Amino acid sequence: MVIMRPLAVLRHDLPASLVVFLVAVPLSLGIALASGAPVAAGLVAAVVGGIVAGALGGSVLQVSGPAAGLTVVMAETIQTFGWAVTCAITVAAGACQILLGLSRIARAALAISPAIVHGMLAGIGVTIVLGQLHVILGGKAQSSAVENVAELPAQIVAHHDAATIVGLITIGLLLLWPKLPAAVRKVPGPLAAIAVATVVSVVSGMTLPRVELPGDLLNVHLVPQLPDGGWSGFALAVVTIALIASVESLLSAVAVDRMHTGPRANLDRELVGQGAANMLSGALGGLPVTGVIVRSSTNVTAGAKSRASAVLHGVWVLLFVVLLAGLIQSIPLAALAGLLVHVGAKLVNPGHMKTVLAHGDLPVYLLTLAGVVVFDLLTGVLAGIGLAVVLMLRRTVWSGIHIERESTGREGDNWRVVVEGVLTFLSVPRLSKVLGTVPGGVTVRLELVVDYLDHAAFESLHTWQQAHERAGGTVEVDEVGHPWFGEGKAGRPTRSRVAASRAVPRWLAPWSEWQAAEAVEIPAQQTRRGATEFHRRAAPLLRDTLSGLADGQRPRTLFITCGDSRIVPNLITTSGPGDLFTIRNIGNLVPPGQADASMNASIEYAVGVLGVEEIVVCGHSSCGAMAALADGPPPGPLSAWLRHAEPSAHRLGSATLDGAVPDREGDRLALHNVLQQLEHLREYPAVAAAEPAGKLQLTGMYFHVGDAQVYLFDEAGRTFRPAGAPVVVPGA
C-alpha cells in the first residue's frame, strides 16, 4: 500500500519525477535498440518498472526500468530464442525473483563490501561519461567503454558543431545551479538545464540530433510464447536473467541507501516488487526490469522524498510519450548527454575513495571499477567480491610477530617475543625466522596474544621452546586471553574460539586471579610483579597520554568515594589518567560545616584551581562504614570519624534503587549517605558559588558490587537508576 502526503509529493516528488522521466526516456530507447528488441519494449519496461516496482518494491527512492547491465545478455537471448520467447523468459525470471524474495535471502546483499558498491557506482559513472562525451562532441557512443576511450582522441580533435554548444550549456548550468539564490534553486537544476538547452537549440534553429519516437510507439503485437524445444537453454536463460537482475537491483538498492537518510530498503520486498514488474513487463512485450542506479541517483539528487517519484516517473513516460511526443522530440540528445555526464561524474565520488583507502579496501574499489568499465557490471562486482574474500582471508590469518630485547642492565639477558592475531601454519615460516634470531642461553618471555593457535604453530613453538631450554636458556610462556599453548602441552588442545576460556586482561584483573598460577603470595612480590606487568603491558599504551599530562592536570570531575578496595573509580567510569581528581575516605564522607581541613582544601583546589565541572559522590553496597554506622561503631578513631555521617542516619523517607528499597539496612543507609553528602557539599563556599552559576554539577552515584552495576541519582524520579537508563526530564 502506497501512502503519499500531497504537499510532499507536490514539493519534492513531482519535480524529481519529471527529471527522472527526462533521463529515463532516452535511456530506455537506447537500451532497447542496443538489445535488439522493439523500441517500444524499452518504454514498456520503463512504465512498468516505474509504476509496479516503484509501488511494490522495498526501496523507497529506487527507480526501476530497463538496465544497461542486461544489454549483452538480452541481445544474445533475443538472437537465440526470438523476441516472443524472450518475453516468456522475462516472465519466468520475474517469477523466480518473487520466490527469491519470499525465501528472505536478499539480506545477503548487505554482506557486500561498501568498497564494491562504491566501485560499482564509480564504474557505471565512468562508463556513462565516456559514452556520452561522444554525443556532446557531435558523434555517437561506441558499444563499449574501451571503444569509447579508443575513439575519444579523434572525437576531441574533430570539428565540433551545435551539439557541443548545447552539451556545454547543459553542463555549465548544472554546475552553476547550486550557487544560485535559494528562490531560483526551487526549480530542479537538471530540469532547468534541459529546458534552457532545448529552448536555445530551438530558438537559434540549430540542426542536431534530437529524441526520436516511432509512430506506432506502444503498438506491440507480440505476446510471450514458450519454446518448441531447448528447454535446458530456456531454463538457463531464465536463471541467468533472474540472478543478474536481482543482483543489480539489490546492489542498486544498497547504493541508494548510502545516498540518503530516509527509510532503509527492505531487500526481500524489493525482490518481490522487481519480480512482479518483470512478470508484467514480459507479458506486455517489455524488456526485463531492474533497479537502475543512474535513474535512482538522479531521483535522490533531484530531491525525491518518497516512492511517489518513481511511480509518477512511470506515469509521465506513458502519458508524455503518447500525448506530447512532439515536445519530447524537441529535446536535443546532446542536452541529455550533458545531463548524463554530470550524473555520471557525480557517481565517481572522491570522498568514497578516501574512505575505502582509510579502511585498506582501495584495491577492491579499483578492481570493481575497472571490471565494470572494461567488461560489464556483473563481472566487475564478482571480481570485487573475489578480491574482498582474498583480503579477508589474508587479514584473518594475519599474525603480528615481533621481538625486542628488554633493558635489564645486563646486555643480552632478557628477550621478549610477542605474537598477536591468528597463528596458523601459514605463519610458521616467519615465526621460525623470528625465533631463530633469539640468542641461545638467554631468558625469553613469549607472549601469545592470539585468537587461535593451530597444531602446526603449536608444534613449532613447542619444539623451539624445548631446543632453547636444552641449550641452557629459559622460556617463560605468557598466555594472554586464551590458554592455547598451555592446553596444547597438557594434551587437551583448544580447537575452537568458542571453547577457549577468556581471561580478564592483567591490568584489570585482581592479583588473586593472575598471580596465583605463579605462586606469588608475599605482598611485596605481588606489588613488584604488578608494577613489572604495568611496565611491560600498560605503560606502552599510556605513554603518549601521560606525556601530554606531564606538565599539569585538567580533570573534568572530582570523584569522592569510599576507600573500599573493591571500588575502582577509573574502572567503573571507563576513564583514564587525567580524568578524575579522586578523594577517598572511609564511607565517602564530606564533613559538614567544613569540619575537615583536608576535605576543605581538596574541594577548594578542585573547584577553584582545577575548575572541575562535576563532583561525584559514590557510595556502594556492602559498605563496612555504613554497616558500622547502623550497628553503632566501636569507640575510637572510627567512631569519631563516623560522627560526620550521623545526619545520613537521620534522613527521612526511603532511598531506592530504580524504585526498589534494598533489603539490607547498610545498603539503604549507603543510599541516604550519598544524598546527604551532596547536601554537605553545597555548604562549601566554592561549591555554593559555582553550582548556581551553572559551572558545576553535583552527581550522586551508587555501585552495587555483586551485580557490577552503576546507579545514578535521578533528581526528577527521586531514585537511583541504572546507568544508561532513560532519565525523566522535569516538564517534559
Side-chain angles (χ1 to χ4, degrees):
M1 181 178 181
V2 182
I3 300 176
M4 306 177 187
R5 293 179 296 174
L7 292 179
V9 170
L10 290 175
R11 182 178 178 182
H12 300 288
D13 297 314
L14 180 59
S17 68
L18 292 171
V19 175
V20 178
F21 152 72
L22 289 172
V23 174
V25 170
L27 284 178
S28 301
L29 295 173
I31 291 170
L33 292 173
S35 302
V39 173
L43 296 174
V44 170
V47 172
V48 175
I51 297 175
V52 178
L56 301 180
S59 180
V60 174
L61 298 184
Q62 174 150 280
V63 181
S64 301
L70 279 170
T71 300
V72 175
V73 175
M74 290 306 299
E76 294 177 355
T77 304
I78 294 171
Q79 185 176 2
T80 302
F81 295 98
W83 176 241
V85 175
T86 299
C87 290
I89 291 174
T90 301
V91 174
C96 289
Q97 286 183 288
I98 292 177
L99 293 177
L100 289 174
L102 294 177
S103 65
R104 310 186 71 82
I105 64 170
R107 285 191 177 274
L110 296 176
I112 296 177
S113 168
I116 297 174
V117 176
H118 295 320
M120 178 195 73
L121 293 177
I124 293 174
V126 170
T127 303
I128 292 171
V129 170
L130 291 175
Q132 297 306 311
L133 278 177
H134 284 277
V135 180
I136 291 178
L137 295 173
K140 293 183 178 180
Q142 305 302 310
S143 59
S144 69
V146 175
E147 293 180 1
N148 281 321
V149 172
E151 297 292 333
L152 192 57
Q155 191 73 62
I156 292 175
V157 300
H159 173 70
H160 301 146
D161 53 14
T164 304
I165 297 175
V166 170
L168 292 177
I169 288 175
T170 305
I171 295 175
L173 280 173
L174 290 169
L175 294 175
L176 178 64
W177 206 255
K179 302 177 182 178
L180 297 179
V184 178
R185 285 187 281 109
K186 289 183 178 179
V187 178
L191 184 59
I194 295 295
V196 170
T198 301
V199 170
V200 169
S201 69
V202 172
V203 171
S204 61
M206 293 181 178
T207 302
L208 72 173
R210 302 178 188 272
V211 174
E212 295 182 2
L213 297 178
D216 57 344
L217 189 61
L218 297 181
N219 188 19
V220 181
H221 297 290
L222 294 174
V223 293
Q225 295 180 6
L226 294 176
D228 296 330
W231 287 98
S232 59
F234 179 88
L236 179 61
V238 169
V239 173
T240 301
I241 292 175
L243 290 179
I244 294 178
S246 298
V247 170
E248 185 167 350
S249 297
L250 293 176
L251 289 180
S252 176
V254 172
V256 171
D257 274 354
R258 301 183 190 280
M259 296 179 179
H260 67 91
T261 58
R264 304 293 90 182
N266 182 327
L267 299 182
D268 295 312
R269 176 179 171 181
E270 180 64 23
L271 274 189
V272 173
Q274 295 291 335
N278 273 320
M279 292 188 71
L280 183 58
S281 179
L284 296 177
L287 284 168
V289 169
T290 73
V292 185
I293 191 60
V294 176
R295 303 179 200 191
S296 302
S297 60
T298 302
N299 193 39
V300 175
T301 304
K305 299 299 181 183
S306 75
R307 63 178 71 245
S309 176
V311 174
L312 286 174
H313 124 274
V315 174
W316 304 146
V317 174
L318 177 63
L319 295 180
F320 281 32
V321 171
V322 174
L323 302 178
L324 301 174
L327 179 62
I328 294 177
Q329 289 175 326
S330 300
I331 300 174
L333 294 181
L336 294 174
L339 172 61
L340 290 173
V341 166
H342 183 261
V343 171
K346 293 186 71 174
L347 291 178
V348 186
N349 191 327
H352 292 162
M353 295 186 66
K354 292 180 180 179
T355 301
V356 298
L357 175 62
H359 287 274
D361 289 335
L362 186 60
V364 176
Y365 176 93
L366 294 177
L367 181 62
T368 305
L369 187 157
V372 171
V373 172
V374 176
F375 299 102
D376 53 51
L377 184 142
L378 186 60
T379 302
V381 169
L382 291 177
I385 292 175
L387 181 57
V389 170
V390 171
L391 292 178
M392 180 270 294
L393 292 175
R394 178 179 177 274
R395 291 163 181 166
T396 301
V397 301
W398 171 86
S399 299
I401 305 171
H402 65 275
I403 184 172
E404 61 187 43
R405 187 166 56 198
E406 296 183 326
S407 177
T408 63
R410 299 187 305 278
E411 184 177 353
D413 254 7
N414 287 4
W415 290 72
R416 177 168 171 250
V417 178
V418 180
V419 182
E420 301 173 289
V422 176
L423 191 57
T424 67
F425 66 95
L426 297 174
S427 302
V428 168
R430 188 156 60 96
L431 176 65
S432 299
K433 179 181 178 180
V434 172
L435 294 177
T437 63
V438 178
V442 301
T443 298
V444 180
R445 185 168 190 84
L446 178 61
E447 297 186 9
L448 296 177
V449 192
V450 296
D451 293 320
Y452 179 69
L453 179 69
D454 75 356
H455 186 210
F458 167 77
E459 285 290 343
S460 179
L461 284 172
H462 189 43
T463 301
W464 170 82
Q465 180 188 15
Q466 291 176 328
H468 188 77
E469 290 176 344
R470 282 197 301 267
T474 302
V475 179
E476 300 176 0
V477 181
D478 184 10
E479 306 154 45
V480 180
H482 305 291
W484 298 102
F485 192 75
E487 293 291 298
K489 288 181 66 175
R492 50 177 188 277
T494 304
R495 290 177 293 179
S496 72
R497 299 183 187 185
V498 177
S501 58
R502 290 190 173 273
V504 180
R506 289 192 174 181
W507 50 88
L508 297 179
W511 290 338
S512 59
E513 288 192 11
W514 64 270
Q515 292 193 11
E518 302 177 29
V520 179
E521 298 178 356
I522 302 174
Q525 290 182 343
Q526 291 179 335
T527 304
R528 187 176 297 110
R529 186 75 174 87
T532 302
E533 285 294 302
F534 168 80
H535 172 73
R536 177 177 291 115
R537 300 183 186 282
L541 303 176
L542 297 174
R543 190 166 290 120
D544 290 342
T545 299
L546 291 173
S547 65
L549 298 170
D551 297 328
Q553 59 172 324
R554 294 295 299 172
R556 304 285 297 274
T557 299
L558 168 59
F559 199 90
I560 302 172
T561 190
C562 185
D564 194 297
S565 63
R566 298 167 294 178
I567 310 303
V568 186
N570 291 105
L571 182 62
I572 65 175
T573 59
T574 316
S575 54
D579 293 331
L580 304 180
F581 186 78
T582 306
I583 301 174
R584 305 189 71 149
N585 60 44
I586 301 300
N588 46 272
L589 301 182
V590 181
Q594 308 169 60
D596 183 76
S598 175
M599 178 63 73
N600 193 19
S602 298
I603 293 175
E604 182 67 31
Y605 181 72
V607 178
V609 179
L610 297 178
V612 298
E613 301 172 5
E614 181 186 32
I615 299 179
V616 175
V617 176
C618 178
H620 65 96
S621 62
S622 305
C623 180
M626 294 300 103
L629 182 63
D631 298 336
L638 180 60
S639 178
W641 173 252
L642 288 181
R643 280 201 294 269
H644 298 310
E646 288 180 356
S648 302
H650 298 115
R651 287 178 63 89
L652 300 177
S654 60
T656 60
L657 289 177
D658 207 17
V661 178
D663 295 331
R664 291 191 291 192
E665 182 180 359
D667 293 347
R668 296 194 296 270
L669 188 53
L671 296 175
H672 280 294
N673 185 57
V674 170
L675 302 179
Q676 186 63 42
Q677 304 318 307
L678 293 176
E679 293 183 10
H680 290 172
L681 275 171
R682 293 185 172 95
E683 299 175 5
Y684 286 69
V687 177
E691 186 185 22
K695 299 179 180 179
L696 184 66
Q697 176 180 330
L698 302 188
T699 300
M701 180 182 290
Y702 180 85
F703 181 62
H704 193 287
V705 176
D707 294 338
Q709 175 67 61
V710 175
Y711 293 83
L712 299 174
F713 184 66
D714 177 7
E715 187 71 36
R718 303 302 300 172
T719 187
F720 287 82
R721 297 190 185 279
V727 177
V728 179
V729 180

